[in-house]
Amino acid sequence: MVTVSVKWQKEVYPAVEIDTSQPPYVFKAQLYDLTGVPPERQKIMVKGGLLKDDADWSKVGVKEGQRLMMMGTADEIVKAPEKGPVFAEDLPEEEQVVNVGHSAGLFNLGNTCYMNSTVQCLHSVPELKSALTEYNQLGRSNDLDHSSHLLTVATRDLFNDLDKNVKPVAPMQFWTVLRKKYPQFGQQSNGAFMQQDAEECWTQLLYTLSQSLKSPNSSGSPDIVKALFGIEFDNRIHCAESGEESTETETVYSLKCHISQEVNHLHEGLKRGLKSELEKASPSLGRSAVYVKDSRINGLPRYLTIQFVRFFWKRESNQKAKILRKVDYPLSLDVYDFCSEDLRKKLEGPRQVLRDAEGKKAGLKTSEKTSSSTDGDVKMTEAEESSSGSGEASKTTQEGVLPEKEHHLTGIYDLVAVLTHKGRSADSGHYVAWVKQENGKWVQFDDDNPIPQREEDIPKLSGGGDWHMAYICMYKARVVPM
């Protein structure tokens, strides 16, 4: 790190840190936060001329305590007359966000689109934002390591910045802490940070939050992240050769859509992912044998994450390759067929209530058998489930929502976010987030550039060429009050 002062117009910023391991564009993003001058407008005088976005700091020769001169005009906010209509530009930034209809974009700090797109998708989960806000009150538990605590705080602060700004945000602190917690995201090649896998970033971030957002005040220590994203499986493991059979339960945070020549639709890929083969030692045979693993969902989350398994290791070229095959996915997904018999019984009541409600809208006669819920109903409030994985709801409700009726899962989910990848290799290309806003509108977050989209165009990100194709889809549970 090198500390310099920066003079801009009549202002002097006395202690600005430069991380010389990062490109100058990152330094310009810092100055944007301080001055409001966008990086493309900044002219910073250094030895040999103007500072370029991709210059080598060792050749620039910036010294500790040096004063740099910056020129450029800041983004201006149009002022309304003293008496007259109030323009959107005159409102506080928090109100401008509401007026615009979406939150801010994120500056790319050097191949960080994988991180930006992950953050934008998870930022769209209001229950996760509420849990992070309460992290102030919950505090850090004794068994939580310091780096996880810092990453949780950085996530909370970045989410807040996105909600309060209409101008792009530079996620400097978050990126710095992420690299310290998970050094893989700090890998460099030829002096530049390398592209990373968005799914790995998503998984690592959720794992950290699952550790930090457990309430130390609760004896049961409910896992909020597990309640929001955890999928409970009942697995039957059978060996045809020996006749051995066992069962186990496990919790995962995403369903895998395996892609092959026979898979044309998400439903087919998910179905294939529920059955797999594994080789392990057989006690009765005294040697290795092939076992078949059959899985069924026995506990559903508030948000269902699906990963399209598009990347695989290509031995001949010694690099990750990508499956470009088109796989269609729906705006609404029903996972009833993938559930265990026990869970299906619990879903029947809420599903009938949903059918009746939809039938009523269409002017059809509704069923009278579902006026009351059964003992086995799957219950879920708008805020969080208990950590039991059974679907039993906790008493906590989302801020501002009165706990008049409990909400029950139906097994039907609606698409709320898509993370796409463009390119033919996981180590290159470009990631983008497509997120449904609270107002129902879709926005494409291409780093610092949010672009409104039509909902009918979202399912077209299904692959089959070099255009953006879905890599991760996030669905939100459709619930009914009972």
Side-chain angles (χ1 to χ4, degrees), residues 112-131:
T112 58
C113 58
Y114 69 92
M115 179 188 79
N116 290 350
S117 54
T118 295
V119 167
Q120 291 288 10
C121 289
L122 294 178
H123 171 254
S124 70
V125 179
E127 298 92 335
L128 183 59
K129 287 196 285 187
S130 295

Side-chain angles (χ1 to χ4, degrees), residues 122-154:
L122 294 178
H123 171 254
S124 70
V125 179
E127 298 92 335
L128 183 59
K129 287 196 285 187
S130 295
L132 283 166
T133 301
E134 293 171 5
Y135 188 68
N136 274 329
Q137 287 74 45
L138 299 178
R140 175 186 168 193
S141 60
N142 294 328
D143 58 346
L144 183 68
D145 64 281
H146 188 58
S147 60
S148 294
H149 168 69
L150 291 179
L151 183 54
T152 303
V153 171

Side-chain angles (χ1 to χ4, degrees), residues 49 64 139 145 193 205 222 261 285 346 348 393 446:
E64 181 72 23
D145 64 281
F193 286 98
L205 180 56
Q261 292 296 325
L285 297 176
K346 295 174 183 178
E348 279 300 338
D446 188 350

Side-chain angles (χ1 to χ4, degrees), residues 257-376:
C257 175
H258 292 272
I259 303 173
S260 66
Q261 292 296 325
E262 293 77 29
V263 173
N264 297 304
H265 193 274
L266 173 61
H267 197 275
E268 298 166 348
L270 292 178
K271 187 176 181 180
R272 286 178 175 271
L274 295 177
K275 192 167 186 176
S276 59
E277 287 188 352
L278 60 152
E279 187 174 331
K280 64 174 186 175
S282 167
S284 60
L285 297 176
R287 56 176 172 80
S288 292
V290 175
Y291 289 75
V292 174
K293 179 180 177 182
D294 280 307
S295 302
R296 287 291 178 270
I297 298 173
N298 201 44
L300 287 169
R302 188 73 173 90
Y303 291 85
L304 187 67
T305 304
I306 294 170
Q307 180 205 353
F308 291 81
V309 186
R310 289 196 174 276
F311 296 112
F312 65 97
W313 190 257
K314 207 170 184 178
R315 291 183 179 178
E316 52 267 31
S317 58
N318 201 33
Q319 64 179 8
K320 276 187 180 178
K322 183 177 178 182
I323 300 172
L324 302 177
R325 183 178 180 80
K326 180 181 179 181
V327 179
D328 291 321
Y329 57 91
L331 289 172
S332 295
L333 177 68
D334 190 347
V335 297
Y336 181 84
D337 290 345
F338 308 138
C339 297
S340 65
E341 288 298 325
D342 286 345
L343 182 54
R344 288 185 185 184
K345 291 177 183 177
K346 295 174 183 178
L347 293 175
E348 279 300 338
R351 288 171 71 88
Q352 185 60 54
V353 170
L354 181 63
R355 284 193 291 267
D356 288 348
E358 293 175 345
K360 190 174 181 181
K361 284 183 180 179
L364 302 177
K365 187 176 181 181
T366 60
S367 168
E368 296 180 358
K369 296 181 180 180
T370 56
S371 58
S372 62
S373 61
T374 63
D375 294 337

Side-chain angles (χ1 to χ4, degrees), residues 386-426:
S386 70
S387 59
S388 65
S390 64
E392 191 73 19
S394 76
K395 299 298 182 184
T396 308
T397 56
Q398 187 179 350
E399 185 178 353
V401 178
L402 297 176
E404 296 176 353
K405 293 184 178 180
E406 291 181 337
H407 290 77
H408 300 238
L409 295 171
T410 61
I412 298 173
Y413 288 79
D414 296 308
L415 188 66
V416 291
V418 182
L419 190 155
T420 61
H421 180 266
K422 181 182 180 183
R424 291 180 175 262
S425 169

